[in-house]
Amino acid sequence: MPKRILIVGGGYVGLYTALRLQRGLRPGEAEVTVVNPENYMVYRPLLPEVASGTLEPRHAVVPLRAVLRKTRFISGALTGLDTARATATVQPMAGPSLELEYDELVLALGATSRLLPVPGLAERGIGFNSLAEAAHLRDHVLRQLEIAAATTDPEVRRSALTFVFVGGGYTGVEAVAELQDMAVDVLEGYPEVDRSEMRWILVEAMDRILGTVSADLAELATTELTARGIDIRTGTLLESAENGVLQLSDGTKLSSDTLVWVAGTRPQTIIGELGLPVDDRGRLVVDDTMRVHGQPNIWSAGDCAAVPDPEKGGTCPPTAQHAVRQAQQLGENLLLTLRGHAVKPFRYNSRGEFVTLGKNKAVGEVLGHKVDGTLAWTLRRAYYATQIPTWNRTVRVLGDWVVGMPFGHDVVNFGSREEPRGAFKEAAAEKK
């Protein structure tokens, strides 16, 4: 009877583990099932370019059903786990819950925004972890420019043109850089707005931005962002966001309609409810083969797992390149387990890092060499074009980039898609 491998989560770890199994399994050796709320995987390094409009949102995702043709896919969410019976409870999009039996289980649930108890944050803030959030922010920034261009109220104008990002890690830096670059580029179409009126502020609690990269690389990024007028506040916290007024720990008060919260992530809440060992950050405790401690048939990797880092000590950073390599090794370990062989520990040493800062702007470190400007931007794009799964997606992404290079950013705001039934409701109201 074929072994049953259940993969919960369709992000990097879920997709790449399933792909490795799909390529390596012999006929009849195992049945693989992937469970994920969405039927696609978001290629997160491309989210900043979705936000700036240089990449079509649909091209930044990988359709799971299209690439995992030898795998059963269920659109649903994990709600419970019975390790004694080796069953997982899954709630599909509609209808009753399902009980799925497994011989090997992979928990690849990723992470979600880590919110702090800041008054007003939940009501005023928006994250930057999903495709919807990235697309929304592009529309939101363009909407703020429209508001500023049309209003005669100086306070409304000031609030509309003040953009605050909290969190100076990879995501925060790339998000503020791409969106600011877009806003400056489209200002020609807003003669009522002067560039000097826009305030872009990046708030970071640590003493420098990009704390997970080398100090030299962080300094390159700081110099570039500061030269563009982005106000970087290090050693600073957001204390309150009530009533549209942002209170910072350095005493600054800002009236702003834009608060982007990118101050870290945490594992999904369900991880702590499964009865499995977790560390002080809520991540599953795994060994260097990515097997959950005390559970010989449960595995985990990526953002929801504390995977040991043998190269630098501690645990692996939550980066895309680590998640992909972990998944590939995890898939290999599952194949070895099925065939009765000893599994192998995860080993990976990063070859480099890139941080996009807008069109033709980036900083990076490749094999110990620092690069910046157009060269870093080109190398970053070349790297990700070769890494995104399937030639179909690679061609679509390259097409977006090539077509967009000679042109500026588009100013079309599709904010109405957030209320797709608005026109219908209005027409119904008028009829009454």
Side-chain angles (χ1 to χ4, degrees), residues 16 43 46 324-325 328 354 378-391 393-395 397-398 401:
Y16 282 92
Y43 200 69
L46 300 180
V324 170
R325 271 68 179 193
Q328 292 168 340
F354 291 103
T378 303
L379 290 175
R380 174 187 178 274
R381 287 197 161 190
Y383 172 76
Y384 285 126
T386 61
Q387 293 300 303
I388 191 168
T390 77
W391 280 105
R393 251 38 193 183
T394 297
V395 170
V397 168
L398 287 173
W401 285 341

PDB file of all heavy atoms in Angstrom, residues 16 43 46 324-325 328 354 378-391 393-395 397-398 401:
ATOM      1  N   TYR A  16       8.079  23.344  -2.600  1.00  0.00           N
ATOM      2  CA  TYR A  16       9.340  22.744  -3.021  1.00  0.00           C
ATOM      3  C   TYR A  16       9.522  21.333  -2.470  1.00  0.00           C
ATOM      4  O   TYR A  16      10.166  20.491  -3.105  1.00  0.00           O
ATOM      5  CB  TYR A  16      10.511  23.641  -2.631  1.00  0.00           C
ATOM      6  CG  TYR A  16      10.689  24.817  -3.562  1.00  0.00           C
ATOM      7  CD1 TYR A  16      10.083  26.044  -3.296  1.00  0.00           C
ATOM      8  CD2 TYR A  16      11.444  24.702  -4.720  1.00  0.00           C
ATOM      9  CE1 TYR A  16      10.234  27.120  -4.159  1.00  0.00           C
ATOM     10  CE2 TYR A  16      11.607  25.776  -5.587  1.00  0.00           C
ATOM     11  CZ  TYR A  16      11.002  26.987  -5.306  1.00  0.00           C
ATOM     12  OH  TYR A  16      11.149  28.027  -6.164  1.00  0.00           O
ATOM     13  N   TYR A  43       5.286  34.184  -4.429  1.00  0.00           N
ATOM     14  CA  TYR A  43       6.739  34.319  -4.486  1.00  0.00           C
ATOM     15  C   TYR A  43       7.093  35.655  -3.821  1.00  0.00           C
ATOM     16  O   TYR A  43       7.151  36.704  -4.461  1.00  0.00           O
ATOM     17  CB  TYR A  43       7.216  34.266  -5.937  1.00  0.00           C
ATOM     18  CG  TYR A  43       8.672  33.913  -6.061  1.00  0.00           C
ATOM     19  CD1 TYR A  43       9.120  32.626  -5.739  1.00  0.00           C
ATOM     20  CD2 TYR A  43       9.598  34.845  -6.474  1.00  0.00           C
ATOM     21  CE1 TYR A  43      10.457  32.301  -5.835  1.00  0.00           C
ATOM     22  CE2 TYR A  43      10.939  34.524  -6.577  1.00  0.00           C
ATOM     23  CZ  TYR A  43      11.358  33.248  -6.250  1.00  0.00           C
ATOM     24  OH  TYR A  43      12.700  32.930  -6.348  1.00  0.00           O
ATOM     25  N   LEU A  46       9.035  39.041  -4.717  1.00  0.00           N
ATOM     26  CA  LEU A  46       8.508  39.911  -5.768  1.00  0.00           C
ATOM     27  C   LEU A  46       7.375  40.817  -5.286  1.00  0.00           C
ATOM     28  O   LEU A  46       6.885  41.643  -6.049  1.00  0.00           O
ATOM     29  CB  LEU A  46       8.027  39.064  -6.957  1.00  0.00           C
ATOM     30  CG  LEU A  46       9.091  38.200  -7.631  1.00  0.00           C
ATOM     31  CD1 LEU A  46       8.484  37.425  -8.787  1.00  0.00           C
ATOM     32  CD2 LEU A  46      10.268  39.043  -8.117  1.00  0.00           C
ATOM     33  N   VAL A 324      13.775  27.519   0.631  1.00  0.00           N
ATOM     34  CA  VAL A 324      13.809  26.672  -0.561  1.00  0.00           C
ATOM     35  C   VAL A 324      14.782  25.514  -0.357  1.00  0.00           C
ATOM     36  O   VAL A 324      14.468  24.349  -0.654  1.00  0.00           O
ATOM     37  CB  VAL A 324      14.199  27.489  -1.801  1.00  0.00           C
ATOM     38  CG1 VAL A 324      14.480  26.570  -2.992  1.00  0.00           C
ATOM     39  CG2 VAL A 324      13.092  28.469  -2.146  1.00  0.00           C
ATOM     40  N   ARG A 325      15.976  25.814   0.163  1.00  0.00           N
ATOM     41  CA  ARG A 325      16.964  24.746   0.365  1.00  0.00           C
ATOM     42  C   ARG A 325      16.524  23.777   1.451  1.00  0.00           C
ATOM     43  O   ARG A 325      16.753  22.572   1.350  1.00  0.00           O
ATOM     44  CB  ARG A 325      18.322  25.349   0.725  1.00  0.00           C
ATOM     45  CG  ARG A 325      19.211  25.675  -0.458  1.00  0.00           C
ATOM     46  CD  ARG A 325      18.657  26.806  -1.265  1.00  0.00           C
ATOM     47  NE  ARG A 325      19.472  27.176  -2.406  1.00  0.00           N
ATOM     48  CZ  ARG A 325      19.289  28.295  -3.095  1.00  0.00           C
ATOM     49  NH1 ARG A 325      18.332  29.145  -2.741  1.00  0.00           N
ATOM     50  NH2 ARG A 325      20.040  28.571  -4.140  1.00  0.00           N
ATOM     51  N   GLN A 328      13.983  21.435  -0.169  1.00  0.00           N
ATOM     52  CA  GLN A 328      14.599  20.447  -1.052  1.00  0.00           C
ATOM     53  C   GLN A 328      15.240  19.319  -0.255  1.00  0.00           C
ATOM     54  O   GLN A 328      15.115  18.142  -0.610  1.00  0.00           O
ATOM     55  CB  GLN A 328      15.624  21.140  -1.961  1.00  0.00           C
ATOM     56  CG  GLN A 328      14.979  22.080  -2.972  1.00  0.00           C
ATOM     57  CD  GLN A 328      15.979  22.975  -3.680  1.00  0.00           C
ATOM     58  OE1 GLN A 328      17.097  23.177  -3.206  1.00  0.00           O
ATOM     59  NE2 GLN A 328      15.576  23.524  -4.824  1.00  0.00           N
ATOM     60  N   PHE A 354      20.344  40.352  -1.798  1.00  0.00           N
ATOM     61  CA  PHE A 354      19.978  41.541  -2.551  1.00  0.00           C
ATOM     62  C   PHE A 354      18.845  42.260  -1.844  1.00  0.00           C
ATOM     63  O   PHE A 354      17.978  41.625  -1.240  1.00  0.00           O
ATOM     64  CB  PHE A 354      19.515  41.178  -3.969  1.00  0.00           C
ATOM     65  CG  PHE A 354      20.599  40.660  -4.868  1.00  0.00           C
ATOM     66  CD1 PHE A 354      20.711  39.300  -5.132  1.00  0.00           C
ATOM     67  CD2 PHE A 354      21.507  41.530  -5.453  1.00  0.00           C
ATOM     68  CE1 PHE A 354      21.698  38.820  -5.961  1.00  0.00           C
ATOM     69  CE2 PHE A 354      22.508  41.057  -6.285  1.00  0.00           C
ATOM     70  CZ  PHE A 354      22.604  39.691  -6.544  1.00  0.00           C
ATOM     71  N   THR A 378      20.051  44.581 -11.637  1.00  0.00           N
ATOM     72  CA  THR A 378      20.021  43.624 -12.743  1.00  0.00           C
ATOM     73  C   THR A 378      20.323  42.217 -12.253  1.00  0.00           C
ATOM     74  O   THR A 378      19.657  41.252 -12.650  1.00  0.00           O
ATOM     75  CB  THR A 378      21.033  44.033 -13.826  1.00  0.00           C
ATOM     76  OG1 THR A 378      20.739  45.360 -14.270  1.00  0.00           O
ATOM     77  CG2 THR A 378      20.981  43.078 -15.004  1.00  0.00           C
ATOM     78  N   LEU A 379      21.328  42.079 -11.389  1.00  0.00           N
ATOM     79  CA  LEU A 379      21.685  40.763 -10.861  1.00  0.00           C
ATOM     80  C   LEU A 379      20.552  40.175 -10.027  1.00  0.00           C
ATOM     81  O   LEU A 379      20.274  38.977 -10.094  1.00  0.00           O
ATOM     82  CB  LEU A 379      22.959  40.870 -10.019  1.00  0.00           C
ATOM     83  CG  LEU A 379      24.256  41.142 -10.774  1.00  0.00           C
ATOM     84  CD1 LEU A 379      25.412  41.352  -9.788  1.00  0.00           C
ATOM     85  CD2 LEU A 379      24.584  39.983 -11.718  1.00  0.00           C
ATOM     86  N   ARG A 380      19.889  41.025  -9.253  1.00  0.00           N
ATOM     87  CA  ARG A 380      18.767  40.544  -8.443  1.00  0.00           C
ATOM     88  C   ARG A 380      17.666  39.994  -9.333  1.00  0.00           C
ATOM     89  O   ARG A 380      17.121  38.913  -9.095  1.00  0.00           O
ATOM     90  CB  ARG A 380      18.224  41.682  -7.571  1.00  0.00           C
ATOM     91  CG  ARG A 380      16.968  41.300  -6.800  1.00  0.00           C
ATOM     92  CD  ARG A 380      16.372  42.513  -6.097  1.00  0.00           C
ATOM     93  NE  ARG A 380      15.135  42.142  -5.404  1.00  0.00           N
ATOM     94  CZ  ARG A 380      13.931  42.112  -5.964  1.00  0.00           C
ATOM     95  NH1 ARG A 380      13.796  42.418  -7.252  1.00  0.00           N
ATOM     96  NH2 ARG A 380      12.867  41.770  -5.262  1.00  0.00           N
ATOM     97  N   ARG A 381      17.323  40.747 -10.364  1.00  0.00           N
ATOM     98  CA  ARG A 381      16.258  40.309 -11.258  1.00  0.00           C
ATOM     99  C   ARG A 381      16.641  39.026 -11.990  1.00  0.00           C
ATOM    100  O   ARG A 381      15.810  38.123 -12.165  1.00  0.00           O
ATOM    101  CB  ARG A 381      15.916  41.412 -12.255  1.00  0.00           C
ATOM    102  CG  ARG A 381      15.163  42.561 -11.618  1.00  0.00           C
ATOM    103  CD  ARG A 381      14.482  43.444 -12.634  1.00  0.00           C
ATOM    104  NE  ARG A 381      13.420  44.239 -12.002  1.00  0.00           N
ATOM    105  CZ  ARG A 381      12.539  44.947 -12.672  1.00  0.00           C
ATOM    106  NH1 ARG A 381      12.578  44.976 -13.993  1.00  0.00           N
ATOM    107  NH2 ARG A 381      11.599  45.632 -12.050  1.00  0.00           N
ATOM    108  N   ALA A 382      17.889  38.926 -12.418  1.00  0.00           N
ATOM    109  CA  ALA A 382      18.340  37.720 -13.102  1.00  0.00           C
ATOM    110  C   ALA A 382      18.254  36.517 -12.172  1.00  0.00           C
ATOM    111  O   ALA A 382      17.832  35.422 -12.580  1.00  0.00           O
ATOM    112  CB  ALA A 382      19.771  37.906 -13.604  1.00  0.00           C
ATOM    113  N   TYR A 383      18.624  36.707 -10.911  1.00  0.00           N
ATOM    114  CA  TYR A 383      18.580  35.608  -9.941  1.00  0.00           C
ATOM    115  C   TYR A 383      17.155  35.126  -9.724  1.00  0.00           C
ATOM    116  O   TYR A 383      16.871  33.917  -9.816  1.00  0.00           O
ATOM    117  CB  TYR A 383      19.192  36.065  -8.621  1.00  0.00           C
ATOM    118  CG  TYR A 383      19.022  35.057  -7.503  1.00  0.00           C
ATOM    119  CD1 TYR A 383      19.808  33.904  -7.465  1.00  0.00           C
ATOM    120  CD2 TYR A 383      18.067  35.241  -6.503  1.00  0.00           C
ATOM    121  CE1 TYR A 383      19.644  32.966  -6.451  1.00  0.00           C
ATOM    122  CE2 TYR A 383      17.895  34.310  -5.492  1.00  0.00           C
ATOM    123  CZ  TYR A 383      18.687  33.175  -5.477  1.00  0.00           C
ATOM    124  OH  TYR A 383      18.517  32.244  -4.480  1.00  0.00           O
ATOM    125  N   TYR A 384      16.243  36.055  -9.446  1.00  0.00           N
ATOM    126  CA  TYR A 384      14.872  35.644  -9.155  1.00  0.00           C
ATOM    127  C   TYR A 384      14.152  35.108 -10.386  1.00  0.00           C
ATOM    128  O   TYR A 384      13.277  34.245 -10.273  1.00  0.00           O
ATOM    129  CB  TYR A 384      14.094  36.796  -8.527  1.00  0.00           C
ATOM    130  CG  TYR A 384      14.471  37.024  -7.089  1.00  0.00           C
ATOM    131  CD1 TYR A 384      14.883  38.274  -6.646  1.00  0.00           C
ATOM    132  CD2 TYR A 384      14.445  35.980  -6.176  1.00  0.00           C
ATOM    133  CE1 TYR A 384      15.255  38.476  -5.318  1.00  0.00           C
ATOM    134  CE2 TYR A 384      14.814  36.170  -4.862  1.00  0.00           C
ATOM    135  CZ  TYR A 384      15.220  37.416  -4.438  1.00  0.00           C
ATOM    136  OH  TYR A 384      15.589  37.600  -3.126  1.00  0.00           O
ATOM    137  N   ALA A 385      14.531  35.589 -11.563  1.00  0.00           N
ATOM    138  CA  ALA A 385      13.920  35.066 -12.778  1.00  0.00           C
ATOM    139  C   ALA A 385      14.259  33.589 -12.971  1.00  0.00           C
ATOM    140  O   ALA A 385      13.459  32.820 -13.505  1.00  0.00           O
ATOM    141  CB  ALA A 385      14.379  35.863 -13.995  1.00  0.00           C
ATOM    142  N   THR A 386      15.446  33.191 -12.506  1.00  0.00           N
ATOM    143  CA  THR A 386      15.839  31.784 -12.641  1.00  0.00           C
ATOM    144  C   THR A 386      15.326  30.933 -11.490  1.00  0.00           C
ATOM    145  O   THR A 386      15.297  29.704 -11.595  1.00  0.00           O
ATOM    146  CB  THR A 386      17.372  31.648 -12.701  1.00  0.00           C
ATOM    147  OG1 THR A 386      17.948  32.148 -11.474  1.00  0.00           O
ATOM    148  CG2 THR A 386      17.937  32.441 -13.873  1.00  0.00           C
ATOM    149  N   GLN A 387      14.914  31.558 -10.392  1.00  0.00           N
ATOM    150  CA  GLN A 387      14.504  30.799  -9.214  1.00  0.00           C
ATOM    151  C   GLN A 387      13.002  30.554  -9.132  1.00  0.00           C
ATOM    152  O   GLN A 387      12.558  29.575  -8.527  1.00  0.00           O
ATOM    153  CB  GLN A 387      14.948  31.537  -7.939  1.00  0.00           C
ATOM    154  CG  GLN A 387      16.448  31.592  -7.748  1.00  0.00           C
ATOM    155  CD  GLN A 387      17.075  30.216  -7.652  1.00  0.00           C
ATOM    156  OE1 GLN A 387      16.715  29.406  -6.809  1.00  0.00           O
ATOM    157  NE2 GLN A 387      18.023  29.944  -8.540  1.00  0.00           N
ATOM    158  N   ILE A 388      12.192  31.431  -9.701  1.00  0.00           N
ATOM    159  CA  ILE A 388      10.740  31.249  -9.599  1.00  0.00           C
ATOM    160  C   ILE A 388      10.350  29.966 -10.336  1.00  0.00           C
ATOM    161  O   ILE A 388      10.807  29.711 -11.447  1.00  0.00           O
ATOM    162  CB  ILE A 388       9.979  32.474 -10.159  1.00  0.00           C
ATOM    163  CG1 ILE A 388       8.498  32.389  -9.803  1.00  0.00           C
ATOM    164  CG2 ILE A 388      10.177  32.622 -11.652  1.00  0.00           C
ATOM    165  CD1 ILE A 388       7.739  33.683 -10.061  1.00  0.00           C
ATOM    166  N   PRO A 389       9.543  29.115  -9.717  1.00  0.00           N
ATOM    167  CA  PRO A 389       9.217  27.818 -10.323  1.00  0.00           C
ATOM    168  C   PRO A 389       8.450  27.936 -11.639  1.00  0.00           C
ATOM    169  O   PRO A 389       7.611  28.825 -11.793  1.00  0.00           O
ATOM    170  CB  PRO A 389       8.333  27.151  -9.248  1.00  0.00           C
ATOM    171  CG  PRO A 389       8.654  27.859  -7.981  1.00  0.00           C
ATOM    172  CD  PRO A 389       8.967  29.263  -8.375  1.00  0.00           C
ATOM    173  N   THR A 390       8.746  27.077 -12.557  1.00  0.00           N
ATOM    174  CA  THR A 390       8.140  26.889 -13.876  1.00  0.00           C
ATOM    175  C   THR A 390       8.582  27.975 -14.865  1.00  0.00           C
ATOM    176  O   THR A 390       8.666  29.157 -14.529  1.00  0.00           O
ATOM    177  CB  THR A 390       6.602  26.851 -13.839  1.00  0.00           C
ATOM    178  OG1 THR A 390       6.079  28.162 -13.691  1.00  0.00           O
ATOM    179  CG2 THR A 390       6.090  25.955 -12.738  1.00  0.00           C
ATOM    180  N   TRP A 391       8.846  27.502 -16.094  1.00  0.00           N
ATOM    181  CA  TRP A 391       9.208  28.427 -17.170  1.00  0.00           C
ATOM    182  C   TRP A 391       8.061  29.367 -17.497  1.00  0.00           C
ATOM    183  O   TRP A 391       8.268  30.505 -17.924  1.00  0.00           O
ATOM    184  CB  TRP A 391       9.612  27.628 -18.414  1.00  0.00           C
ATOM    185  CG  TRP A 391      11.008  27.120 -18.337  1.00  0.00           C
ATOM    186  CD1 TRP A 391      11.421  25.838 -18.094  1.00  0.00           C
ATOM    187  CD2 TRP A 391      12.202  27.904 -18.471  1.00  0.00           C
ATOM    188  NE1 TRP A 391      12.790  25.778 -18.065  1.00  0.00           N
ATOM    189  CE2 TRP A 391      13.306  27.028 -18.303  1.00  0.00           C
ATOM    190  CE3 TRP A 391      12.452  29.253 -18.713  1.00  0.00           C
ATOM    191  CZ2 TRP A 391      14.625  27.460 -18.368  1.00  0.00           C
ATOM    192  CZ3 TRP A 391      13.765  29.691 -18.783  1.00  0.00           C
ATOM    193  CH2 TRP A 391      14.830  28.800 -18.621  1.00  0.00           C
ATOM    194  N   ARG A 393       6.023  30.882 -15.450  1.00  0.00           N
ATOM    195  CA  ARG A 393       6.093  32.066 -14.595  1.00  0.00           C
ATOM    196  C   ARG A 393       7.330  32.891 -14.903  1.00  0.00           C
ATOM    197  O   ARG A 393       7.307  34.125 -14.867  1.00  0.00           O
ATOM    198  CB  ARG A 393       6.093  31.632 -13.122  1.00  0.00           C
ATOM    199  CG  ARG A 393       4.816  31.940 -12.338  1.00  0.00           C
ATOM    200  CD  ARG A 393       3.617  31.746 -13.156  1.00  0.00           C
ATOM    201  NE  ARG A 393       2.392  32.309 -12.566  1.00  0.00           N
ATOM    202  CZ  ARG A 393       1.222  32.182 -13.123  1.00  0.00           C
ATOM    203  NH1 ARG A 393       1.096  31.532 -14.249  1.00  0.00           N
ATOM    204  NH2 ARG A 393       0.144  32.700 -12.584  1.00  0.00           N
ATOM    205  N   THR A 394       8.435  32.244 -15.193  1.00  0.00           N
ATOM    206  CA  THR A 394       9.661  32.977 -15.515  1.00  0.00           C
ATOM    207  C   THR A 394       9.452  33.881 -16.725  1.00  0.00           C
ATOM    208  O   THR A 394       9.837  35.056 -16.723  1.00  0.00           O
ATOM    209  CB  THR A 394      10.812  31.992 -15.798  1.00  0.00           C
ATOM    210  OG1 THR A 394      11.080  31.232 -14.610  1.00  0.00           O
ATOM    211  CG2 THR A 394      12.073  32.730 -16.208  1.00  0.00           C
ATOM    212  N   VAL A 395       8.818  33.347 -17.752  1.00  0.00           N
ATOM    213  CA  VAL A 395       8.574  34.127 -18.970  1.00  0.00           C
ATOM    214  C   VAL A 395       7.640  35.291 -18.684  1.00  0.00           C
ATOM    215  O   VAL A 395       7.840  36.413 -19.173  1.00  0.00           O
ATOM    216  CB  VAL A 395       7.990  33.222 -20.081  1.00  0.00           C
ATOM    217  CG1 VAL A 395       7.514  34.067 -21.263  1.00  0.00           C
ATOM    218  CG2 VAL A 395       9.031  32.209 -20.538  1.00  0.00           C
ATOM    219  N   VAL A 397       7.160  36.875 -15.792  1.00  0.00           N
ATOM    220  CA  VAL A 397       7.864  37.883 -14.992  1.00  0.00           C
ATOM    221  C   VAL A 397       8.837  38.664 -15.861  1.00  0.00           C
ATOM    222  O   VAL A 397       8.898  39.905 -15.803  1.00  0.00           O
ATOM    223  CB  VAL A 397       8.599  37.205 -13.809  1.00  0.00           C
ATOM    224  CG1 VAL A 397       9.566  38.184 -13.153  1.00  0.00           C
ATOM    225  CG2 VAL A 397       7.597  36.698 -12.787  1.00  0.00           C
ATOM    226  N   LEU A 398       9.620  37.959 -16.672  1.00  0.00           N
ATOM    227  CA  LEU A 398      10.559  38.646 -17.556  1.00  0.00           C
ATOM    228  C   LEU A 398       9.822  39.562 -18.523  1.00  0.00           C
ATOM    229  O   LEU A 398      10.298  40.669 -18.831  1.00  0.00           O
ATOM    230  CB  LEU A 398      11.388  37.617 -18.335  1.00  0.00           C
ATOM    231  CG  LEU A 398      12.450  36.858 -17.534  1.00  0.00           C
ATOM    232  CD1 LEU A 398      13.075  35.759 -18.393  1.00  0.00           C
ATOM    233  CD2 LEU A 398      13.531  37.811 -17.024  1.00  0.00           C
ATOM    234  N   TRP A 401       8.917  42.767 -16.765  1.00  0.00           N
ATOM    235  CA  TRP A 401      10.094  43.603 -16.557  1.00  0.00           C
ATOM    236  C   TRP A 401      10.556  44.264 -17.847  1.00  0.00           C
ATOM    237  O   TRP A 401      10.864  45.454 -17.876  1.00  0.00           O
ATOM    238  CB  TRP A 401      11.219  42.758 -15.966  1.00  0.00           C
ATOM    239  CG  TRP A 401      11.028  42.439 -14.514  1.00  0.00           C
ATOM    240  CD1 TRP A 401      10.213  43.088 -13.623  1.00  0.00           C
ATOM    241  CD2 TRP A 401      11.656  41.389 -13.780  1.00  0.00           C
ATOM    242  NE1 TRP A 401      10.296  42.502 -12.384  1.00  0.00           N
ATOM    243  CE2 TRP A 401      11.174  41.463 -12.448  1.00  0.00           C
ATOM    244  CE3 TRP A 401      12.570  40.390 -14.110  1.00  0.00           C
ATOM    245  CZ2 TRP A 401      11.586  40.583 -11.457  1.00  0.00           C
ATOM    246  CZ3 TRP A 401      12.986  39.518 -13.114  1.00  0.00           C
ATOM    247  CH2 TRP A 401      12.513  39.610 -11.808  1.00  0.00           C
TER     248      TRP A 401
END
